[in-house]
Amino acid sequence: MAALDTNVLVRYVVQDDAAQLSAAKRLISRCVREGLPLFVPVTVVLELEWVLRARFGFGKNDVLLTLSSLFSATELGFESERALEVALQLFRESSADFADCLHVALAAQADEQPLWTFDKGAAKVPGAQLLVRA
């Protein structure tokens, strides 16, 4: 199984570069025809969320919609897919950043909780706990 980098997914989602979009579509189409799923590392999803928000101005609802659509794409296989789905749900239900939600979800998947943090926003996510400074 081949893997995708963040920049390929960004081109596919944002469609801001015609040549790169065309190349991404050709790759994905070829893999679909050949029955070869494309692997997406969890770090790529984390970077994708950041790029969409910070570089392209996606709001929370747009990020939720985009990631949900990608997670349901049968041609894509995601590392730690269950944790990503949990992170998306936590992100949907809280005011915490997606990254914090993903950290909590990955810790839960590893059965290692709570996730201790100094971040008051992250500590509001179920599974995280605020570490109070002495």
Side-chain angles (χ1 to χ4, degrees):
M1 178 184 313
L4 293 178
D5 191 10
T6 308
N7 51 31
V8 176
L9 285 175
V10 167
R11 297 293 84 76
Y12 189 76
V13 169
V14 178
Q15 302 182 6
D16 64 335
D17 181 302
Q20 288 184 354
L21 173 61
S22 178
K25 283 183 172 183
R26 278 193 316 273
L27 171 67
I28 293 169
S29 294
R30 187 183 84 229
C31 289
V32 167
R33 272 192 319 276
E34 296 174 8
L36 302 171
L38 291 159
F39 179 73
V40 181
V42 69
T43 52
V44 165
V45 175
L46 186 59
E47 186 179 26
L48 175 63
E49 183 276 336
W50 181 84
V51 169
L52 293 177
R53 183 176 37 79
R55 170 71 172 86
F56 292 97
F58 277 41
K60 183 174 183 172
N61 288 335
D62 292 328
V63 168
L64 285 165
L65 180 62
T66 300
L67 293 181
S68 293
S69 296
L70 289 173
F71 293 167
S72 5
T74 57
E75 61 271 19
L76 301 177
F78 291 87
E79 177 185 16
S80 302
E81 187 164 357
R82 181 68 188 127
L84 285 167
E85 291 169 351
V86 168
L88 199 63
Q89 188 60 34
L90 291 170
F91 183 55
R92 181 177 283 113
E93 296 171 352
S94 74
S95 60
D97 293 338
F98 178 73
D100 293 327
C101 294
L102 182 56
H103 301 325
V104 169
L106 287 168
Q109 177 178 282
D111 201 23
E112 302 291 344
Q113 286 187 301
L115 175 76
W116 290 100
T117 182
F118 288 118
D119 184 329
K120 290 178 182 175
K124 294 178 183 177
V125 177
Q129 192 165 340
L130 187 64
L131 181 58
V132 181
R133 299 172 221 181

